[in-house]
Amino acid sequence: MLGEDLLIIQKEFSGFNDTQERLDLLALDKQGALVIIENKLDDSGRDVTWQALKYASYCSRLSKSNIANIYQQYLDRSQPGTKAEDLLSEFFDNQDFADITLNKGVTQRIMLIAANFRKEVTSTVLWLLNFKVRLHCFRATPYAMGDELFLNVEQIIPTQDTEEYMIGMAEKAQDDIEDQVEQKHRHVIRREFWGRIIEAMNATPSSLYQSISPGDSSWIGAGSGVGGIGLHFVATRQYGRAELYIDRPDKAENEYIFEQFMARREEIENVFGGVLEWEPLEGRKACRIKAETPGNIFDREQWESMIQFMVDSMYRLELAVKGPLREIWTARRSQLAPGVVGE
């Protein structure tokens, strides 16, 4: 509802030293910045800006391990048995937890939500934006129609142009020399590893990765011919995998496509020549089918076995899913627009 992917890591958080104050919601955005969210039932009140700024200052001291512990405490109550590091890795596009940068520098953000904002609040917010404080105001308006309830949420401060500028400045402020040196080292290793993967993949009869270049992320991907569905390699400190990743914009459509694949599981695994792992990824938009082996991309001694497994798995996975995907997608497009066959 706030216009972006946010990971809620705590609610009614009061873990500040020497104070019993509580912030409503604490979240992370896709850049690893902490987001302080304050909700007001009706009027914003006169002091909400000062209140939120205090919380942001408290949160600025939180280290990466502090944040993981705070999230783990939240999960222990809401999803017992779930590991915070695993969900953080998923949220940050399957990066190794060690590679994720959280709460770097002065990157904390504030979101204020209320039905009405007083002029003293909006005036203060607009003034703070001049000093690169990353602050958003959202007006929430509820409606009732019979027994149905609706909530309209609109961003009123800042404007889109201003927001893009502020985000750009905040990302620049996150640069840190020590982190850059370590990150550069990891990027060099990943580029070399992906170069070898691509070279080995192109030595097979598959043409899937012929136009793909090495990157510095924990994954590289090739298209399947259907938008939002890719054949990806993923390598971290814990594993190497080949996967079919189903991540179209609509969650229900992803689930439908995954279920259609599941209905043909025996056929697909017969062509693959082994057992695959089928993951609907409950609570997330995407689904995946994968083959995975333990391994560490940063240990060069493991590269040969990892690359052999991943390339062999990708070659067989492509063969196994190519035909079913074409048929599933053709049928899906026919359902949505009879007589029209999509790409």
Side-chain angles (χ1 to χ4, degrees), residues 117-156:
F117 284 87
R118 297 195 183 192
K119 288 184 178 180
E120 53 262 53
V121 172
T122 55
S123 175
T124 304
V125 168
L126 290 170
W127 182 76
L128 286 168
L129 290 177
N130 294 321
F131 298 91
K132 302 183 179 68
V133 177
R134 303 177 66 193
L135 216 162
H136 300 70
C137 293
F138 295 87
R139 180 185 291 124
T141 308
Y143 298 92
M145 183 179 295
D147 293 333
E148 294 187 273
L149 300 177
F150 304 90
L151 183 65
N152 180 55
V153 178
E154 57 180 330
Q155 182 177 321
I156 60 172

Side-chain angles (χ1 to χ4, degrees), residues 20-60:
Q20 295 302 311
E21 294 177 286
R22 293 174 178 266
L23 62 84
D24 291 336
L25 293 172
L26 185 61
L28 286 166
D29 68 13
K30 283 290 189 178
Q31 288 72 49
L34 283 174
V35 185
I36 292 85
I37 304 173
E38 281 299 299
N39 301 310
K40 300 300 178 184
L41 290 177
D42 187 8
D43 185 281
S44 63
R46 294 187 179 90
D47 301 324
V48 64
T49 315
W50 167 238
Q51 181 184 20
L53 286 171
K54 285 192 296 181
Y55 295 157
S57 73
Y58 301 154
C59 289
S60 69

Side-chain angles (χ1 to χ4, degrees), residues 110-263:
I110 296 169
M111 291 184 174
L112 306 178
I113 306 171
N116 298 292
F117 284 87
R118 297 195 183 192
K119 288 184 178 180
E120 53 262 53
V121 172
T122 55
S123 175
T124 304
V125 168
L126 290 170
W127 182 76
L128 286 168
L129 290 177
N130 294 321
F131 298 91
K132 302 183 179 68
V133 177
R134 303 177 66 193
L135 216 162
H136 300 70
C137 293
F138 295 87
R139 180 185 291 124
T141 308
Y143 298 92
M145 183 179 295
D147 293 333
E148 294 187 273
L149 300 177
F150 304 90
L151 183 65
N152 180 55
V153 178
E154 57 180 330
Q155 182 177 321
I156 60 172
I157 299 176
T159 64
Q160 188 63 37
D161 289 345
T162 304
E163 181 178 6
E164 291 175 356
Y165 171 78
M166 298 301 294
I167 289 175
M169 294 301 297
E171 288 175 345
K172 183 178 178 181
Q174 291 183 41
D175 291 344
D176 180 271
I177 299 301
E178 182 179 348
D179 184 63
Q180 283 182 344
V181 172
E182 176 62 25
Q183 198 169 62
K184 182 178 179 180
H185 174 68
R186 293 195 298 267
H187 289 175
V188 168
I189 292 176
R190 288 195 184 109
R191 283 184 177 277
E192 184 181 347
F193 180 83
W194 293 132
R196 295 195 185 184
I197 281 272
I198 292 168
E199 181 181 359
M201 191 67 192
N202 289 340
T204 72
S206 172
S207 61
L208 188 64
Y209 272 77
Q210 284 186 354
S211 61
I212 305 299
S213 300
D216 53 25
S217 183
S218 59
W219 67 278
I220 57 172
S224 66
V226 176
I229 301 179
L231 286 153
H232 298 171
F233 286 117
V234 185
T236 70
R237 296 179 189 272
Q238 285 80 41
Y239 56 77
R241 79 162 67 121
E243 66 181 17
L244 180 75
Y245 200 67
I246 306 167
D247 190 20
R248 289 181 60 75
D250 184 66
K251 182 178 186 295
E253 184 172 53
N254 294 335
E255 292 172 348
Y256 170 83
I257 294 170
F258 181 77
E259 288 167 1
Q260 296 304 303
F261 274 115
M262 279 289 291

